[in-house]
Structure formats: C-alpha cells, structure tokens
Amino acid sequence: MTDLPPDPQSAPPPSIQPPSAQPPSAQPPSAQPAGWYPDGTGGQRYWSGEMWTEHHQPAGAQLVPMGYAMSPADERQMGMLAHALGIFTWIGPLIIYLTQAEKSLFVKHHATEALNFAITMFIATMISFVLIFVLIGLVLVPVVIVTSLAFHIMGAMAANRGEWYRYPISIRMIAGAQG
C-alpha cells in the first residue's frame, strides 16, 4: 500500500521540502521558487511557491525536470492552444513557442510541431495561389485548407489528452520536437 501524499493545504514535511542553500528551518517554504521537487517517496510533487499543489508524479513515472513551472493541466492547455492558433496563422504557435517553451518540454514539443506545420501549410497555400493561374490551384487551395484544419484539430485534441503528437506531413524547420 502506498503512502498518501501530504495535505496540499498544510506546510510540507521536512522530508519533502524544496532544496535550498540554507537549512529548512532557516528559510520558510514560501521563499522557495515554484517547480517540481522530490516528495520523499521517489516521486515528485509540484510546489507553487506558496504551497504544495495536488499535482504529483509517482515513483517510476517519467519525471518532470526540476525548475519546470507548469502544471500538467496548464501544459495540456498551452499545447492545445498552439495547435488551435495554428489554424489561423503561424504567428500564434510562434508566440507560444517563444514565451512558453522554456517552461515545459510538452509545450515546447506541441508548439514546435504546430509552428512547423503552420509554416508548411502557409508555404503550400502560397504555392496553390500561384498555381491558380494554371488552374490546378483552384483544386489545391481547398485541399490545403481542409488538410490544415483537420490536422490542427487532431493535434489540439491529442495535446488536450496529454499525448505527444507529430504531424504526418510537415517540413521540420524549427527544432525542439521530441521524438
């Protein structure tokens, strides 16, 4: 039987206090930066900077690197937002990549994938518009738009489920995607 994690509303016991340069008694827990810290059972627990949250990763799970400051729910939301904004333009995923990628590997992966696919679809759309003069573009423009919409929705749904999604057709110009 596993031990239950400490009550998130109470102060953390000394065995799972975030590391600091000073002894735990010399520095109050609220002075510690937000992030993932060992919980004494081999897992990790998220410290919000003021108290322990309900987010916990048990021993044996893929642990989040120390210093990453996003909860799993926030990671899924930002990943989904990167894909959803990619429907309209490549600027949305770029903003998420530039502002959130350092906070989470999951968000960095999804923002990179969404950005690469949005740029690929932008290039395909421009080529299709040029090919309108040869009439083949009249068929290609709707195909590119429907393909872009379908794959961005699939990526957003995968990110919302917490899955690591890769677009099947994409020019990988920006590095940062996992796998």
Side-chain angles (χ1 to χ4, degrees):
M1 182 172 197
T2 61
D3 294 322
L4 294 174
D7 181 18
Q9 301 302 322
S10 66
S15 64
I16 62 171
Q17 284 198 359
S20 66
Q22 302 174 354
S25 60
Q27 189 174 15
S30 61
Q32 298 295 330
W36 291 94
Y37 294 98
D39 68 357
T41 64
Q44 285 191 344
R45 184 101 186 247
Y46 188 77
W47 175 256
S48 72
E50 297 175 3
M51 66 180 188
W52 293 107
T53 67
E54 71 277 3
H55 304 294
H56 180 260
Q57 292 183 332
Q62 181 180 2
L63 299 177
V64 175
M66 299 287 277
Y68 279 41
M70 294 185 89
S71 70
D74 289 342
E75 288 180 327
R76 289 192 313 271
Q77 185 177 21
M78 292 307 293
M80 182 180 68
L81 186 60
H83 293 288
L85 291 173
I87 292 171
F88 305 106
T89 180
W90 52 268
I91 296 172
L94 177 63
I95 291 171
I96 291 176
Y97 179 81
L98 293 175
T99 61
Q100 304 297 318
E102 294 300 318
K103 296 179 183 176
S104 165
L105 288 175
F106 185 79
V107 174
K108 183 176 185 177
H109 168 79
H110 282 282
T112 302
E113 283 293 311
L115 179 58
N116 283 331
F117 186 69
I119 291 171
T120 301
M121 290 297 103
F122 177 76
I123 293 169
T125 303
M126 292 300 108
I127 291 170
S128 298
F129 276 120
V130 169
L131 291 176
I132 284 178
F133 295 111
V134 193
L135 299 178
I136 188 85
L138 293 173
V139 174
L140 286 180
V141 169
V143 168
V144 169
I145 291 171
V146 169
T147 301
S148 176
L149 181 64
F151 282 129
H152 276 297
I153 290 172
M154 289 170 55
M157 290 172 53
N160 192 38
R161 289 188 304 263
E163 299 172 1
W164 297 74
Y165 181 79
R166 284 190 71 111
Y167 288 96
I169 36 178
S170 181
I171 301 170
R172 312 245 183 252
M173 294 175 267
I174 311 296
Q178 302 296 309

